Amino acid sequence: MFIESPRYTERFGAVRINAVQRVVSLDSGFKSELPAHGAMGVMKIDEDTIKSFEGRMVVVIPIKDEKLKLFEGVISGVPHDCLVIVVSNSQTGKINRFKMEKDALNQICRYTMRNAFIVHQKDPVIAEAVRQAGYDDILGEDGLIRDGKSEAMVMGLLMAKVARKEYVGFIDADNYFPGAVLEYVRDFAAGFSLARSPYSMVRILWHYKPKISGGIYFKKWGRVSETTNKCLNDLIFSKTDFETEVIRTGNAGEHAISMKLAELLPYASGYAVEPGELTFLFESFGGILPEIDHEAVEQGIDLFQIETRNPHMHEERGTQHLKDMLLSGLATIYHSPLCEESTKRLILRELVNQGALSSRGKPPVPHFNAPIGKIDSSKFMNVIKEHLGVLYALHEE
Ligand code: GDD
């Protein structure tokens, strides 16, 4: 793959925020006499490097009642060497969508000779395992894991830890193009290969997000991401006095984290998770509030934002869903101890203008699921161990 060099890096304490890097070409061939790293502002990430990261990566796919065809397409796009972990919150009643997902995954895995895990978010075994590990944060009043995409991601992370993987990527199950999924994972690998620190994160920026209105047109920015980016950049500006546009991936659903960093982060509930990750990085490693991990501060945090070649097409869920997503995401910035009055005013103005909040309202205080590094993972593993066979996609009922 050819990718633009990280031409500009903005620093916020120990966080090295790399400006967006575009993928120039999806493949760079086998020839080694191509420009060395950095020549002409473009870097070659060779195939061996990409594969070496894929083999150490888990791809977590959260799913809730998506079309089976889309789910199958997503699985088929994940590079073979990655371990797939599906965390489903789909219905299990008379129409058992979870079972259909399991069957579909089983079939793909059998034909392609790979394995995967599939687990239901409401599986009492998982709830018991997290309870034993002292991780009650993620449990609802019914004693089971709460609903939400973030909660599914945390379950995926716990499973990735059981599988002893070094990197975890997150990819939504409602992606229309398997080729785009393949590219997301290659972009994750490319980003990690550029990291100087073992604490790193790669966030995907879509080239275009096509919309259909009369004809098809290629939209660059969604309203939610534009607003979230603006508020995150304002948070940085309020501390540095330099206006910036460096953050372009505030809502990146498709993103990946090195396990060392993933274990340190708390995860804001539901769809607040992605802006919440960035806010937390600025709080914990920005040098303003007390540090939470000395080694990570010493090594620094590498943040990459990679713009794909593929356009992104996924299921559309309507304006109320987008308003809820905006509100919960901006709430993580609003309630951050770093957030100045000026940024709070900006957030309130945006939320009210976009009809996501009443003029006297305040964003709700977000719930954060505690970092998984704090839990006793051996206790989690002890409970899971006995049931692991059932969670394999190749398990036949
Ligand atoms: N397991 C599980 N549990 N999966 C869930 C849940 C849940 O409670 N809720 C949603 N999902 C799955 C969906 O099935 C989909 O695969 C993925 O999580 C994302 O949910 P969507 O409802 O499709 O989100 P979206 O498309 O509106 O937003 C996505 O993109 C945003 C950036 O534009 C999400 O990834 C957001 O988190 C992201 O900010």
Side-chain angles (χ1 to χ4, degrees):
M1 162 187 308
F2 285 111
I3 185 169
E4 285 178 349
S5 310
R7 274 177 299 189
Y8 181 67
T9 307
E10 198 152 318
R11 287 168 179 79
F12 192 83
V15 189
R16 294 186 284 266
I17 312 168
N18 290 288
V20 169
Q21 293 165 255
R22 271 187 275 192
V23 173
V24 178
S25 179
L26 291 172
D27 181 63
S28 56
F30 271 128
K31 281 181 278 169
S32 56
E33 71 270 19
L34 289 157
H37 266 191
M40 300 181 307
V42 173
M43 301 167 93
K44 173 182 157 88
I45 315 281
D46 61 45
E47 218 42 42
D48 287 348
T49 304
I50 291 177
K51 290 290 160 215
S52 79
F53 281 92
E54 287 173 357
R56 291 180 275 159
M57 198 185 304
V58 160
V59 172
V60 174
I61 302 174
I63 181 166
K64 186 172 183 194
D65 297 322
E66 300 294 351
K67 293 176 184 139
L68 213 52
K69 292 274 185 221
L70 296 187
F71 173 64
E72 287 168 354
V74 168
I75 301 293
S76 70
V78 178
H80 189 84
D81 293 340
C82 298
L83 175 65
V84 168
I85 298 181
V86 179
V87 183
S88 173
N89 199 9
S90 299
Q91 66 182 81
T92 49
K94 239 192 216 153
I95 301 175
N96 192 337
R97 296 196 67 87
F98 176 58
K99 169 123 186 16
M100 293 181 208
E101 290 158 3
K102 221 171 161 176
D103 287 348
L105 186 64
N106 175 298
Q107 192 176 44
I108 299 172
C109 285
R110 240 179 322 119
Y111 284 125
T112 58
M113 287 171 285
R114 73 189 298 175
N115 211 340
F117 287 114
I118 179 161
V119 53
H120 199 276
Q121 201 155 334
K122 302 294 174 182
D123 185 335
V125 170
I126 305 284
E128 182 53 27
V130 299
R131 193 175 296 108
Q132 295 277 333
Y135 192 44
D136 292 7
D137 256 31
I138 201 168
L139 298 173
E141 281 170 11
D142 58 1
L144 301 175
I145 309 274
R146 285 198 317 274
D147 291 328
K149 179 193 158 179
S150 163
E151 286 66 16
M153 286 168 54
V154 172
M155 285 178 66
L157 278 169
L158 290 167
M159 298 295 295
K161 206 170 158 169
V162 172
R164 297 183 196 286
K165 293 288 180 175
E166 290 170 61
Y167 300 95
V168 187
F170 302 99
I171 296 196
D172 292 348
D174 61 340
N175 277 293
Y176 271 78
F177 302 130
V181 171
L182 178 72
E183 186 192 353
Y184 298 150
V185 180
R186 292 171 65 82
D187 295 351
F188 294 160
F192 288 131
S193 78
L194 301 177
R196 286 193 275 149
S197 161
Y199 301 86
S200 54
M201 181 183 282
V202 185
R203 300 170 75 94
I204 297 293
L205 172 65
W206 306 315
H207 196 179
Y208 291 106
K209 203 168 165 186
K211 301 273 168 192
I212 295 162
S213 160
I216 186 163
Y217 72 101
F218 289 82
K219 195 168 170 11
K220 184 87 189 153
W221 293 104
R223 199 74 186 274
V224 174
S225 29
E226 217 172 338
T227 312
T228 307
N229 293 340
K230 186 160 131 187
C231 295
L232 282 164
N233 284 319
D234 195 76
L235 182 85
I236 297 177
F237 162 60
S238 71
K239 298 294 173 195
T240 60
D241 290 334
F242 284 86
E243 282 189 345
T244 180
E245 292 189 333
V246 72
I247 298 293
R248 305 270 297 277
T249 54
N251 288 100
E254 271 71 22
H255 66 292
I257 318 177
S258 69
M259 201 63 191
K260 279 192 100 153
L261 179 58
E263 290 197 63
L264 298 178
L265 301 182
Y267 297 89
S269 257
Y271 296 108
V273 60
E274 289 95 3
E277 289 165 356
L278 291 183
T279 309
F280 183 79
L281 286 184
F282 301 149
E283 287 169 13
S284 309
F285 305 105
I288 298 167
L289 301 173
E291 64 183 39
I292 57 152
D293 188 281
H294 188 62
E295 195 205 319
V297 171
E298 292 270 285
Q299 303 256 12
I301 311 290
D302 287 316
L303 181 61
F304 296 95
Q305 307 181 88
I306 298 187
E307 186 183 280
T308 60
R309 285 308 308 174
N310 277 281
H312 179 82
M313 198 148 173
H314 69 148
E315 290 285 85
E316 295 294 345
R317 316 222 182 259
T319 48
Q320 189 53 49
H321 172 73
L322 293 178
K323 285 179 190 174
D324 294 344
M325 190 182 286
L326 182 69
L327 178 62
S328 63
L330 293 192
T332 64
I333 310 172
Y334 185 91
H335 290 287
S336 165
L338 284 185
C339 193
E340 303 275 357
E341 277 311 313
S342 55
T343 310
K344 285 190 193 238
R345 281 197 298 276
L346 171 69
I347 291 172
L348 292 178
R349 207 162 51 237
E350 290 290 344
L351 288 171
V352 172
N353 286 347
Q354 296 188 38
L357 192 70
S358 68
S359 55
R360 294 199 178 167
K362 289 271 176 320
V365 178
H367 172 84
F368 278 90
N369 300 303
I372 64 157
K374 292 214 172 117
I375 75 164
D376 187 342
S377 52
S378 60
K379 289 194 175 148
F380 176 81
M381 268 185 246
N382 281 345
V383 179
I384 290 289
K385 217 165 45 196
E386 292 165 30
H387 300 268
L388 218 48
V390 185
L391 305 179
Y392 278 125
L394 290 176
H395 173 81
E396 304 278 356
E397 307 223 313

